Amino acid sequence: MTSEGAHTFTKYGWLVCLWVLTASFQYGYHTSALNQLQAVLTCKIADPTAPMYYGLPTCIPMSDATFSVVTSMYTMGGFFGSLSANIVMDRYGRKGASRLSAVLTAVGSAVFGLSSSVGPLILGRFLVGLAAGLGICLCPIYLSEIAPVKIRGNLGVLTQLAIVIGIMVTQGMGFGLATPRQWRFVLLISSGISIFQYFSSPFVVESPSYLNRKGLVDQEKLAIHRLWGEIHDVSRTDPEEQDSEEPLLPDSDSATERQSAVRQPAMTIPQLFASTELRRPLLTIIAAMTSQQISGINAVLYYSNDILSKSLPELASYVSLGITIVNFLMTFPPIFLIERVGRKQLIQLSVAAALLSHLAVGYGLNSGLVTLSSIAITTFVMSFAFGLGPIPFVIIPEVAPPHAVSAISSVGLSLNWSSNFVIGLIFLPLRNFLANGDPMKEGRVFYVFAVALLCSTLWFSKLYRG
């Protein structure tokens, strides 16, 4: 029986899946954590009766500029974490990379949560960013390599779902823990989760695909049996060998050539850039990751509070959480649709809805139609969640051969972090420049995002055969 006969995980396999997804959960968790804690952390909300709590200050005074520096360390750490992910994954394995990500998150969160000055805050935030950059690269690959072929696409969507759950959890925690005496618990809870992940790692198997490439056939066979509950043909355990569709690999590749590719040494990033054969897979992931960020999702989420608070002033504190819940709910449909509709079709539907939403947000802001803008913000988040959010992560291990998947993932996710940083940096200045001081022209910036998203998606559609 080949691995194609495996339809789902054993109970143990599902537990391994949850263990792997912890890295994506932490990515989302720390993406949102400081948004909820800013006021109490920077002393804008302080408790004058208790300046110290358990020997630590209840807040750390800093300007908005200093807080921005602290916040941006997450993105900087994420960039370097993703850039080095291929080296870590190929040297220490998927499991070893997950352990390192857990250590960095545990240490970084603890340093941040026990800080009494800005310096340790910056260090802790950078370490957590390193962990997030590494984790968001390895999670889609690890999941793809442990998943039975029949559910591989469905399982890939769980990366995005775990991210959204992490965001939603911190936003929910903010209602109860965003106080001068309790804000540190948000960071310490994250540290505790990663400590648990690290010490539970001896019970987790390595990726069968990684073991196969290292020639560890006996360990591979045991891992497959524990994950899928059957003894499969170990010569066909690598994800790339199961797929009947290999959209970006040459049609002339024979089974023998694919088998020999499994045992090729892992490719470095310089080798990847020099390879003409892998140019199309690389450009496909670059286009997918660019489209994800150039959609303006992070800028829209940042701006949504200001827009929606105008129409729901009494519920302003719940606006951000409500949008995240919508994002969470709309991440479920692609789990069931991805194999039925297809990756390319799903992302095209997502982009079409996102473009219409951008135009509606822009028109609503320019016309003073706050309700229209509010509805459009919600529909944009919904459209992003069922296509642009999960699909770029799903296709990473599908478009590249096994020996190059880590390098392509590193390049793609590094670009994702960079794009995120640049868009966050230019959004407000660009909005103000295009509006020229007129509040009724602030919607113009969304037209720019719509055009940019359309161009990047056309590029992606040309590269990705689906």
Side-chain angles (χ1 to χ4, degrees), residues 62-189:
M62 65 183 90
S63 64
D64 288 343
T66 303
F67 181 78
S68 296
V69 171
V70 172
T71 302
S72 67
M73 286 298 105
Y74 183 68
T75 304
M76 183 176 293
F79 173 79
F80 287 109
S82 292
L83 199 60
S84 60
N86 70 303
I87 299 173
V88 177
M89 283 191 284
D90 292 325
R91 181 172 297 179
Y92 301 108
R94 290 22 173 170
K95 177 180 171 180
S98 297
R99 285 162 58 94
L100 178 59
S101 176
V103 169
L104 290 171
T105 302
V107 173
S109 297
V111 168
F112 197 107
L114 299 175
S115 295
S116 57
S117 62
V118 172
L121 290 179
I122 291 175
L123 174 61
R125 187 71 171 165
F126 180 78
L127 290 176
V128 169
L130 273 177
L134 174 58
I136 203 61
C137 277
L138 73 89
C139 189
I141 296 173
Y142 204 162
L143 286 179
S144 176
E145 292 179 348
I146 67 173
V149 178
K150 302 294 184 182
I151 62 169
R152 186 169 298 137
N154 312 81
L155 202 68
V157 179
L158 297 184
T159 296
Q160 179 69 15
L161 182 62
I163 292 171
V164 175
I165 291 174
I167 294 172
M168 188 168 62
V169 166
T170 47
Q171 289 185 335
M173 291 170 66
F175 288 104
L177 297 180
T179 66
R181 296 189 182 191
Q182 295 179 310
W183 65 266
R184 296 178 186 272
F185 286 113
V186 175
L187 288 311
L188 297 179
I189 288 171

Side-chain angles (χ1 to χ4, degrees), residues 183 213 255 292 343 400:
W183 65 266
R213 290 199 295 278
Q292 187 186 71
R343 282 84 162 141

Side-chain angles (χ1 to χ4, degrees), residues 148-391:
V149 178
K150 302 294 184 182
I151 62 169
R152 186 169 298 137
N154 312 81
L155 202 68
V157 179
L158 297 184
T159 296
Q160 179 69 15
L161 182 62
I163 292 171
V164 175
I165 291 174
I167 294 172
M168 188 168 62
V169 166
T170 47
Q171 289 185 335
M173 291 170 66
F175 288 104
L177 297 180
T179 66
R181 296 189 182 191
Q182 295 179 310
W183 65 266
R184 296 178 186 272
F185 286 113
V186 175
L187 288 311
L188 297 179
I189 288 171
S190 172
S191 182
I193 292 172
S194 288
I195 290 172
F196 175 80
Q197 183 188 17
Y198 179 83
F199 283 106
S200 62
S201 63
F203 304 101
V204 175
V205 296
E206 179 57 89
S207 154
S209 175
Y210 178 80
L211 294 171
N212 180 277
R213 290 199 295 278
K214 294 296 182 180
L216 303 173
V217 178
D218 290 338
Q219 293 183 39
E220 177 197 15
K221 189 174 181 179
L222 177 61
I224 291 170
H225 177 65
R226 298 187 70 186
L227 290 167
W228 302 338
E230 297 286 349
I231 300 298
H232 301 280
D233 178 0
V234 297
S235 68
R236 292 179 57 81
T237 58
D238 194 275
E240 296 303 318
E241 296 175 63
Q242 291 12 295
D243 293 341
S244 58
E245 294 181 292
E246 296 181 15
L248 297 180
L249 296 178
D251 295 335
S252 62
D253 280 358
S254 66
T256 302
E257 289 171 331
R258 290 195 300 271
Q259 177 66 19
S260 64
V262 174
R263 297 297 173 86
Q264 290 184 21
M267 182 171 281
T268 64
I269 291 177
Q271 290 172 336
L272 174 64
F273 285 129
S275 172
T276 55
E277 294 179 358
L278 295 174
R279 192 152 297 161
R280 190 185 187 101
L282 174 61
L283 290 176
T284 299
I285 297 305
I286 288 176
M289 289 299 169
T290 301
S291 297
Q292 187 186 71
Q293 287 301 325
I294 213 169
S295 69
I297 180 64
N298 290 311
V300 167
L301 291 176
Y302 172 82
Y303 200 45
S304 63
N305 279 351
D306 181 55
I307 296 173
L308 298 181
S309 293
K310 294 175 183 177
S311 58
L312 302 169
E314 296 179 359
L315 301 175
S317 60
Y318 296 93
V319 164
S320 183
L321 179 61
I323 290 177
T324 304
I325 292 174
V326 170
N327 196 0
F328 167 73
L329 294 175
M330 288 305 298
T331 306
F332 282 97
I335 295 176
F336 308 102
L337 294 176
I338 191 167
E339 299 296 351
R340 297 180 182 180
V341 178
R343 282 84 162 141
K344 190 171 185 177
Q345 290 75 14
L346 204 56
I347 204 167
Q348 287 174 341
L349 287 171
S350 173
V351 169
L355 290 174
L356 291 175
S357 298
H358 270 315
L359 296 177
V361 172
Y363 179 78
L365 287 176
N366 290 344
S367 305
L369 303 174
V370 178
T371 301
L372 175 61
S373 299
S374 303
I375 295 172
I377 286 283
T378 305
T379 59
F380 173 79
V381 172
M382 293 169 65
S383 64
F384 178 88
F386 74 77
L388 278 167
I391 301 301

